[in-house]
Amino acid sequence: MDCRVLSVQSHVVRGYVGNKSASFPLQVRLNTYDADYLNEVFLLLGYEHWKGQVLTADELQVLYEGIKLNNVNQYDYVLTGYTRDDSFLDMVVDIVQELKRANPNLVYVCDPVLGDNGAMYVPENLLPIYRDKVVPAADIITPNQFEAELLTGRNMSSEKDAVEVMNLLHSMGPDTVVITSSELPSPLGDQYLVALGSQKRVTADGTMVTQQIRMDIPRVDAVFVGTGDLFAAMLLAWTHLHPNDLKMACEKTVSVIYHVIKRTITYAKEVAGPNRRPSPAQLELRMVQSKADIEDPAIVLNALVL
Amino acid sequence: MECRVLSIQSHVVRGYVGNKSASFPLQVSIVPRRLAAQYTRDYYVIVLDRLAGGERKGHMVLGFEVDSINSVQFSNHTGYSHWKGQVLTADELHVLYEGIKLNNVNHYDYVLTGYTRDTSFLEMVVDIVQELKRANPNLVYVCDPVLGDHGSMNLHPVYKNKVVPVADIITPNQFEAELLTGKNISTEKDAVEVMDLLHKMGPDTVVITSSDLPPRLGDRFLVSFGSQRILMPDGTRTTQRIRIEVPKVDAVFVGTGDLFAAMLLAWTHHYPTDLKTACEKTFSVMHHVIQRTISYAHEMAGPGRRPSPAQLELRMVQSKADIEDPAIVMEATVL
């Protein structure tokens, strides 16, 4: 049976962020996926210059109307990421809620993009919308530490804090939470960063269990754009295959990112030349070149069950 | 050495036409790595390790890099009962191209275009192609000159006088080939003459994707033609012409022409001087995708019922293996 994803994200002509980062991997990952892409923005990010056009909330609604009028508004997943506009985000929530009425089993995978490293990079008025409307409608969220703290109003200085924050996020709605990166110290040293995950589920006999995991991920000395979008898309794919095993789903997801990043950084350094910092163009994710790793990633790290 | 395509086509949220039909297949296509930094579309250096099966090894395989400019964003194609969305204007197209240019990344190996509704948009596309060709004289412009069977008559002079002259590969159907050349095709001889006329207008590679000519294999087939002008290493010019008969399918598909142009790009890239093989591979991919689609559509519709446009959406992601490595299911005859 077909699995259909509605992905509402940016489109860039060149490079891999938003829908460009999500579509190819989702389409190759399982050839039972069909992915519908609703593009919010068309431009190039992260480079010196960027130009393009933005979709308004009204235009988003018009596109959704088209799908609805044809009676094809049935989806198994919705996937969203970076958004800058509050009315656009509101409209996305309305659409998700309607799609959930049409299919109560729909899974909404949401990357609640607010900022990083202590600073917001979207308008501040998006925070209450994410906190009060979006996250409550979401089933899987992929905040970084900063976003997890903002959404819960709680700081994370220790693994214990992280577990409490993830539990708070569960109580807001999503049964699956992955904190994609944090400042917590890794037992493997400062060449690693710590990511965490938590999944609440009901077992066959009706009891509620929570699986919590920690991952120590090798750091890479470069700034990549689009890896968060790739992460959310891959987490969608791997939790679809392993709905009750967050450890496995995360190991696969993180491994895919690792392979793509490694290929990218190698290529970027080669093209830039010795002792030169690669440019944003050179650091575009080597997405199509990583097809085999996306289809079947070698696992490169083990998640620890807490 | 990567291979970068700029594709300027429609985007639909749901389904497979335009850029949706072109991107995924081009991205999963297996592109042999070329050691030669420069190659012309006339002849090229084949990497030895490709002959040794190197193209199957992970580290040797590259997909096409596809940069896509969406000329429209619609909910779905216009064969459904309803469609809604937004169109990109010529100015907005220019703005996007500006962004690419300002970053100094306006270097492409291919440009791919298809269905366009707007003359000023089409003219802007031509300007962009010409500029890209100045940046890379080896750029190959693959153009599906979509004039259809009924209209867009105001686009016809733009295609004839401006677009086709800068194109390197074109994929007209019979109607479009006749319109562009002003000559009718009633026989194979006519088809060859029309293709020669099209060569004179610019493109070295012409594929007439479908025609009404009577097939030799019977009326369950339709006849297509191809012609390619090649510059030999000794400086002489030769033309390879082919005829290929493909099974007809009793359904209306949308997006197949876009898939065809994208796959012809991929397979002529593999076989730049062997149109016979490039066409056999391209038409075979089409066959597999269409067969899978029609089986699925009939299953979904149920016995005795005509499948809907939604049910007839190309089974694109499901056909990945066929796109990567199509079993050849038809043979082209060299004329």
Side-chain angles (χ1 to χ4, degrees):
Chain A
M1 201 59 228
D2 267 3
C3 186
R4 191 169 283 272
V5 178
L6 176 65
S7 177
V8 182
Q9 303 195 58
S10 309
H11 170 79
V12 286
V13 172
R14 179 197 172 95
Y16 295 98
V17 297
N19 271 335
K20 285 287 275 316
S21 202
S23 53
F24 176 75
L26 276 175
Q27 288 174 310
V28 296
R29 175 52 212 101
L30 278 184
N31 47 9
T32 54
Y33 276 116
D34 230 332
D36 292 1
Y37 306 108
L38 210 153
N39 295 321
E40 341 173 350
V41 176
F42 312 72
L43 43 74
L44 310 165
L45 297 170
Y47 290 59
E48 267 183 62
H49 307 274
W50 57 91
K51 286 189 182 282
Q53 298 87 27
V54 177
L55 201 72
T56 65
D58 285 340
E59 288 168 332
L60 166 61
Q61 187 182 42
V62 161
L63 285 166
Y64 178 68
E65 275 299 297
I67 294 171
K68 208 168 128 181
L69 284 166
N70 288 307
N71 262 318
V72 289
N73 56 328
Q74 283 93 35
Y75 289 96
D76 302 291
Y77 287 90
V78 175
L79 175 62
T80 68
Y82 179 83
T83 307
R84 290 193 64 78
D85 181 284
D86 52 357
S87 55
F88 195 94
L89 198 52
D90 275 330
M91 183 64 67
V92 166
V93 176
D94 288 344
I95 289 172
V96 168
Q97 287 170 333
E98 193 171 309
L99 291 174
K100 281 195 165 191
R101 284 192 292 273
N103 173 17
N105 294 324
L106 184 147
V107 174
Y108 173 25
V109 180
C110 167
D111 185 2
V113 181
L114 292 158
D116 205 353
N117 298 317
M120 284 186 76
Y121 43 57
V122 302
E124 282 184 13
N125 62 341
L126 259 55
L127 172 57
I129 303 178
Y130 271 112
R131 193 187 53 220
D132 304 332
K133 292 191 189 179
V134 180
V135 170
D139 300 289
I140 299 178
I141 58 170
T142 60
N144 56 33
Q145 173 173 348
F146 177 66
E147 292 156 350
E149 291 175 336
L150 271 184
L151 288 167
T152 55
R154 255 195 74 90
N155 268 359
M156 262 171 57
S157 322
S158 65
E159 196 175 274
K160 185 165 166 297
D161 289 342
V163 169
E164 279 175 40
V165 162
M166 290 193 291
N167 283 333
L168 276 171
L169 289 167
H170 283 317
S171 68
M172 287 166 73
D175 282 344
T176 303
V177 177
V178 177
I179 298 181
T180 52
S181 64
S182 74
E183 299 288 293
L184 297 181
S186 168
L188 297 180
D190 60 9
Q191 293 298 310
Y192 288 79
L193 66 82
V194 174
L196 300 121
S198 178
Q199 185 174 60
K200 255 184 10 182
R201 60 188 182 91
V202 181
T203 59
D205 63 4
T207 52
M208 178 82 78
V209 294
T210 308
Q211 184 192 55
Q212 277 148 353
I213 59 162
R214 187 186 87 222
M215 293 170 282
D216 298 280
I217 304 176
R219 281 187 201 274
V220 186
D221 179 31
V223 176
F224 293 102
V225 185
T227 41
D229 303 325
L230 177 60
F231 187 95
M234 291 295 84
L235 190 66
L236 185 162
W238 291 111
T239 54
H240 179 72
L241 258 196
H242 305 287
N244 298 315
D245 188 352
L246 185 64
K247 176 181 183 311
M248 176 69 81
C250 282
E251 285 169 353
K252 297 225 171 158
T253 302
V254 173
S255 296
V256 170
I257 309 297
Y258 173 82
H259 293 300
V260 174
I261 283 181
K262 188 125 181 291
R263 182 171 284 105
T264 303
I265 193 83
T266 304
Y267 172 84
K269 288 194 169 144
E270 215 178 283
V271 177
N275 293 322
R276 301 190 58 179
R277 271 199 100 65
S279 69
Q282 291 161 340
L283 281 165
E284 287 287 5
L285 297 177
R286 300 298 277 165
M287 192 71 80
V288 297
Q289 298 78 5
S290 300
K291 182 175 66 171
D293 295 313
I294 291 165
E295 288 167 342
D296 192 17
I299 305 301
V300 296
L301 87 175
N302 282 323
L304 187 73
V305 177
L306 299 179
Chain B
M1 197 81 231
E2 65 189 17
C3 201
R4 194 169 282 268
V5 179
L6 177 64
S7 180
I8 306 176
Q9 302 196 58
S10 309
H11 172 79
V12 285
V13 172
R14 178 201 172 93
Y16 293 97
V17 299
N19 271 335
K20 284 290 275 313
S21 206
S23 311
F24 175 76
L26 282 172
Q27 289 173 312
V28 298
S29 282
I30 294 170
V31 182
R33 191 184 264 190
R34 296 182 198 281
L35 283 178
Q38 298 267 334
Y39 65 95
T40 67
R41 62 180 184 274
D42 298 320
Y43 73 95
Y44 64 103
V45 175
I46 300 178
V47 177
L48 288 175
D49 63 6
R50 180 181 157 228
L51 295 173
E55 67 195 9
R56 294 286 178 265
K57 297 204 179 71
H59 66 286
M60 293 304 293
V61 167
L62 306 172
F64 287 89
E65 283 288 354
V66 183
D67 289 2
S68 41
I69 294 183
N70 298 325
S71 55
V72 307
Q73 175 164 231
F74 281 179
S75 53
N76 42 263
H77 69 67
T78 56
Y80 286 65
S81 305
H82 309 272
W83 62 92
K84 286 191 181 279
Q86 300 87 27
V87 300
L88 200 72
T89 64
D91 284 339
E92 289 168 331
L93 166 60
H94 183 66
V95 162
L96 284 167
Y97 177 68
E98 274 298 296
I100 295 172
K101 208 167 126 178
L102 283 167
N103 287 307
N104 262 319
V105 290
N106 56 329
H107 309 291
Y108 289 98
D109 302 290
Y110 287 91
V111 176
L112 175 62
T113 66
Y115 179 81
T116 308
R117 293 178 63 78
D118 183 312
T119 49
S120 55
F121 193 92
L122 199 51
E123 284 172 342
M124 182 63 67
V125 167
V126 175
D127 288 345
I128 289 172
V129 169
Q130 285 171 324
E131 193 170 311
L132 290 174
K133 281 195 165 193
R134 285 192 290 274
N136 173 17
N138 294 323
L139 185 147
V140 174
Y141 173 26
V142 179
C143 168
D144 185 1
V146 181
L147 290 157
D149 295 304
H150 42 251
S152 308
M153 284 321 237
N154 57 334
L155 288 177
H156 163 226
V158 183
Y159 270 112
K160 185 167 155 172
N161 301 322
K162 294 195 185 179
V163 181
V164 172
V166 298
D168 300 289
I169 298 178
I170 58 170
T171 58
N173 56 29
Q174 174 177 342
F175 173 75
E176 290 155 351
E178 290 175 336
L179 205 56
L180 288 168
T181 55
K183 215 189 120 63
N184 267 1
I185 297 175
S186 318
T187 63
E188 188 175 280
K189 185 162 166 296
D190 291 340
V192 170
E193 278 176 42
V194 162
M195 290 192 293
D196 280 341
L197 281 170
L198 289 166
H199 283 316
K200 275 221 191 62
M201 289 168 71
D204 282 344
T205 303
V206 177
V207 176
I208 299 181
T209 52
S210 63
S211 77
D212 285 332
L213 296 188
R216 290 177 197 142
L217 297 178
D219 59 10
R220 304 281 302 273
F221 287 79
L222 61 84
V223 185
S224 307
F225 293 96
S227 179
Q228 185 173 57
R229 276 197 319 199
I230 303 162
L231 184 68
M232 302 299 284
D234 65 3
T236 56
R237 260 193 196 284
T238 185
T239 305
Q240 184 192 57
R241 298 179 184 93
I242 58 147
R243 172 200 177 99
I244 186 165
E245 300 201 357
V246 298
K248 252 195 208 165
V249 189
D250 178 30
V252 176
F253 293 102
V254 185
T256 42
D258 303 325
L259 176 60
F260 185 90
M263 292 293 85
L264 189 67
L265 186 162
W267 291 110
T268 53
H269 182 75
H270 267 260
Y271 301 103
T273 56
D274 182 357
L275 186 64
K276 177 181 185 300
T277 304
C279 280
E280 285 168 354
K281 299 253 183 179
T282 303
F283 278 103
S284 294
V285 169
M286 300 304 302
H287 175 80
H288 295 302
V289 175
I290 285 175
Q291 283 301 313
R292 182 171 284 104
T293 303
I294 196 83
S295 301
Y296 173 84
H298 281 317
E299 214 178 287
M300 293 307 294
R305 301 190 57 180
R306 274 202 97 67
S308 68
Q311 291 163 339
L312 281 164
E313 288 286 6
L314 296 177
R315 301 297 277 164
M316 193 70 81
V317 297
Q318 296 79 2
S319 300
K320 182 176 67 162
D322 294 316
I323 292 165
E324 288 169 341
D325 193 12
I328 304 303
V329 294
M330 56 199 76
E331 210 186 321
T333 319
V334 178
L335 300 179

